[in-house]
Each structure stands twice: as structure tokens, then as C-alpha cells.
Amino acid sequence: MMEEPAVEVTFRESVDRMVDRALEVMDLQPDVAAAIKACNAVLQVKFPVKIRGKVEVITGWRAVHSTHRLPAKGGIRYAPVVNQDEIEALAALMTYKCAIVDVPFGGSKGGLLIDPSKYERDEMELITRRFTLELVRKDFLSPATNVPAPDMGTGQREMAWMADTYKHLNPDDINYSACVTGKPVEHGGIHGRTEATGRGVQYALQELFRHPDAVKEAKLSGGLGGKTVVIQGFGNVGYHASKFLSEEDGCKVIAVTDSKGILVNDEGLDIEAVYHYKVENRKLDGFPGGRYEAGSTTRALEMDCDILIPAALEGQINLGNVDRVKANIIIEAANGPVTFAADERLNERGVVIIPDAYANAGGVVVSYFEWIRNLSHIRFGRMQRRFDELRGQHQIDALENLTGKTVPDKFKHKINAGASELDLVRSGLDDSMRQAFQEMRETRDKHPGVTYRIAAYINAIRKISRSYLDIGVY
Ligand code: GLU
């Protein structure tokens, strides 16, 4: 029998097929599997806003993929190209993502069909507050049931407007600030949330490189230091991942992209300098410390490198370019950057792919911490920081007293420093990423031949199915 030629499917279908691959190796009742895969609810809204004297009708969605745990969690993106299929796919990814990193939430996602670059600040505020009103009125936003966060085209500013709108509509909800995460620190946000997804990518790679056999599987050797990295996208995630990997792990980031081209430096880019240039000039073109190649940014995906980090849109590695991808490791900082068909090809070639639902989970992990902080109404570390410092000082005093020697300053600080909120957030995120990676490895040991992606989905489905199997269906 002739093998069917590979074809591309929609994003949602692509996620479902990847999940089906995991279900093939699991012994799960088909009805439970169907319940897990189904998208629970989708809200579509069309609302009018008056912009520059004219009424514009704006379309938005919020999909809730699963409610086996509440609240349902996931970002809201503002983009000129967004549709219901994409939002449902992204909501499903959130369900699996939360389960993979043990964040006790269901999965949700929202989108607004607008080009944010076309609007002034006040107009964005108007649109965001109006969208929030729609979501709250239709029961698609509250600290207990559905908690948005930033995604493409949104950030702290939008989250602050959303939280404020919710507060005005629900003044007696004492937990109002937990209705969204990713807020500015001055308005109930948590330290370390902005860089969390990029940090998570770094922690995931650090963990992979702690396992020599995982490095060998990727046909590499040694540690992260000196590895060449290409990043597609230089938004929040791409910037932070490239910054941490180059500054802290000694990676050589040889290329980053913006929407108009690729910035290359074979010796490694100075990421902080690139970032400042971009903020000042709103482009990468002309940056003095690299060569800018205008044109398609997908060429970056085909560059020779050890580690490729797609940190832009979905579907970037597809049947059209997959055979030209040369990286040893692809770590999916974006959601869905590799299509199902391309994923199959890369697997056949033995390219190691660290899947999105794990690799970019850092954002939602720290969102979880922020949500807890908001519900507990206290900053992490506030009660014990000085106490820990004092106890450390007592230990130093005792040590010096017993030995008659002075503890050198470089050790002193490590012993008597109390953890700040940022220290605790980093520690919690690092732990979550390490734990989930190890769980993927255990699953791969149990099911030889499965990829990290399938292992991640097996773990997610196993955890989610417990809700259905133990509690039943209401
Ligand atoms: N938008 C991010 C994601 O895709 C963050 C979601 C969240 O923090 O709820 O994972």
C-alpha cells in the first residue's frame, strides 16, 4: 500500500494529532480521551468602539478548553491575523502546558483581531476596557474561573487595564487583582513575570545539558557554553531567552530576527546592545554590531546552529522548509512553531525538539505564583526574609566563635542573605522546569522511541485523566 503524502492541517488539528500520537501509546478509554481533547466553550464577541469619530466593530474570542481545574488560564493576544481555530488550538495547548508543569489550572486563550500598532495608547485602553467588559459580563473573566495573561501584542499595560475594569465591575470581590496575571508590579504583579517565559526556556536548556545522554542524543557534546543559537523573533520571549543564554550560559547567539529581516553576527551578538538599539530605533536594521539581511525571516530557521529557538508565530517550520532546517536542537519558545507534518519529518531525522507545551511554560508557572500572591494578599518572602538573614548571621557568629576565624565576605553574604520575591520566583520556576523535564525523561524511558513532545503529552494526559477517572463527569 502506498504511504499517504504528508499534508499540512490547521493549527488545532495539528495539536490534536500530536495528542493522538500520545494516546496511541497510552491505555486510556476512548471516551475519556475524547473528553480531554474537546474544547469546552468558545465565546465570540463583536463590539463597537468609537475611534477618531468613527465606530469600529472589533471581533474577539475567548476559548476555554478545559475546566477540570479552575480557573482556566491563558493569555490574550492582539494580532491582525487571529481566528477561532488558532484560539482553540492555543487554549488546548494551555491545558496540556499547565498539566506538564503541575500548575493546577485548566486551559484557556483569547484573541482580539486588531493591529495594535495602528492605535494610540488611549484607543488601546478603550478597546481593552470594552473587551474586558464583554468577557466579564459573559462570565469569561474572574479570579475563580478564567484568568487571562499577556500574549502576543499585549503586556503589563493591558493587564492593568483589565484588572482595573474588573475591579470597577466587582468592587466587593476582595480578590479582584487575581482576575488577570502579568500585571505591573505596582499593581499586584509579581517580580520576574515579564522575563518568565524566556527564563523558562533557559532553565529547560540548562536541565537538558545536565544529562549527557540527552546532549548526545542531539549529536552534541559538552555544556551549554559556546553553543551557537539562532532565535526567530525578538519580542519579550526571544529577547529574554537570548539575553540569559548569552550573558549567563555563554551561548553564542549568532542571529535574531524582526518582522523584516535577520540580524547576524557569527561571533555572537551583544543582546543587550541589540535590545537598546531596537527600543531606540524600532528596528534591527542598521545595528552596528551585526549584519542585517532584509527579507524573509524564515531563512533564520535554516541557519547552521546547535540550538534553534523559534520565538515568533505558529507554523513557521512546515513542509516548505523543514528539510532545510539544520539545527540539532529546536526548543519551541513560541506556541506551535512546528507543524504536525514537519514534526514527523524532524523526528525521522533525529532532531531533538523540546516542545512548546513544556518549553514556554515558564510564563504560566510564574502567573500561577502571581495568582497565589494576589489571593494571599502578601508579597512572597515578606514574613521571613529578615528572619532568614538574622538566622544566617547567628550561624556566622557561631562559626566564628567556635573556630576563632573570620568567615570571608564572599561566603558571608551567601549565608546571611534572605530570599527576595524574585529569588523565590526563580527558584520555583527552575524547580518546575527541572521536574517536568525529568518526568518527560522518565516517560521516554518507559516508552522507548517516543519524542519529548509525545512524552510531555503522555504526562499531561495522564494527570488530566485522573480528574475524569477519579471524580467522574458532572
Ligand atoms: N501567554 C502565555 C502562554 O502562552 C502565558 C499564559 C499565562 O500566564 O496564563 O503560555
Side-chain angles (χ1 to χ4, degrees), residues 21-22 24-26 217 347 440-456 458:
R21 282 274 187 267
E24 278 165 24
V25 281
M26 296 179 78
E217 184 190 7
N347 295 337
M440 286 193 295
R441 279 174 59 84
E442 280 162 27
T443 300
R444 292 189 72 198
D445 286 344
K446 268 191 220 132
H447 301 278
V450 305
T451 58
Y452 282 109
R453 190 188 311 280
I454 302 308
I458 291 175

Side-chain angles (χ1 to χ4, degrees), residues 221-288:
S221 61
L224 255 179
K227 295 289 177 288
T228 50
V229 177
V230 168
I231 307 210
Q232 187 205 25
F234 200 61
N236 176 36
V237 182
Y239 158 58
H240 283 109
S242 54
K243 173 181 166 69
F244 301 144
L245 288 169
S246 59
E247 289 177 4
E248 298 172 16
D249 298 293
C251 289
K252 234 201 289 182
V253 179
I254 56 169
V256 299
T257 74
D258 62 5
S259 58
K260 296 189 182 68
I262 312 173
L263 181 65
V264 186
N265 182 336
D266 298 332
E267 297 315 310
L269 291 157
D270 176 346
I271 295 300
E272 212 37 37
V274 175
Y275 176 72
H276 287 295
Y277 182 86
K278 194 193 157 191
V279 171
E280 256 168 51
N281 302 281
R282 293 167 149 251
K283 58 177 187 176
L284 297 178
D285 193 2
F287 175 70

Side-chain angles (χ1 to χ4, degrees), residues 306 313 386:
D306 299 318
L313 281 170
R386 303 298 164 197

Side-chain angles (χ1 to χ4, degrees), residues 73-76 94 97 109 147-151 181 193 197 335 360-361 363-364 367:
K73 190 83 187 77
I76 289 190
M94 285 308 304
K97 194 183 297 192
K109 199 80 172 198
V147 179
D151 200 81
T181 59
R193 174 63 185 85
T197 311
N335 287 307
N360 69 35
V364 79
S367 277

Side-chain angles (χ1 to χ4, degrees), residues 12 16 19-20 23 30-42 63-68 88-89 91-93 95-96 107 464 468:
R12 190 169 54 83
D16 277 348
V19 171
D20 287 340
L23 289 166
D31 52 340
V32 176
I36 291 173
K37 279 170 64 181
C39 182
N40 177 250
V42 193
V64 176
H65 178 259
S66 64
T67 54
H68 70 290
E88 285 187 29
L93 274 175
T95 296
Y96 304 118
I464 300 164
Y468 291 93

Side-chain angles (χ1 to χ4, degrees), residues 8-22:
E8 298 287 14
V9 292
T10 69
F11 188 12
R12 190 169 54 83
E13 181 85 353
S14 187
V15 173
D16 277 348
R17 289 203 187 179
M18 288 169 180
V19 171
D20 287 340
R21 282 274 187 267

Side-chain angles (χ1 to χ4, degrees), residues 303-318:
M303 285 176 69
D304 232 324
C305 62
D306 299 318
I307 301 167
L308 174 63
I309 310 185
L313 281 170
E314 55 263 15
Q316 297 296 293
I317 300 178
N318 48 50

Side-chain angles (χ1 to χ4, degrees), residues 43 83 87 99 117 173 201 237 270 273 305 343 375 390 432 445 447:
L43 170 74
N83 56 54
I87 294 300
S117 68
D173 184 347
V201 170
V237 182
D270 176 346
C305 62
D343 187 59
L375 295 184
L390 209 61
S432 306
D445 286 344
H447 301 278

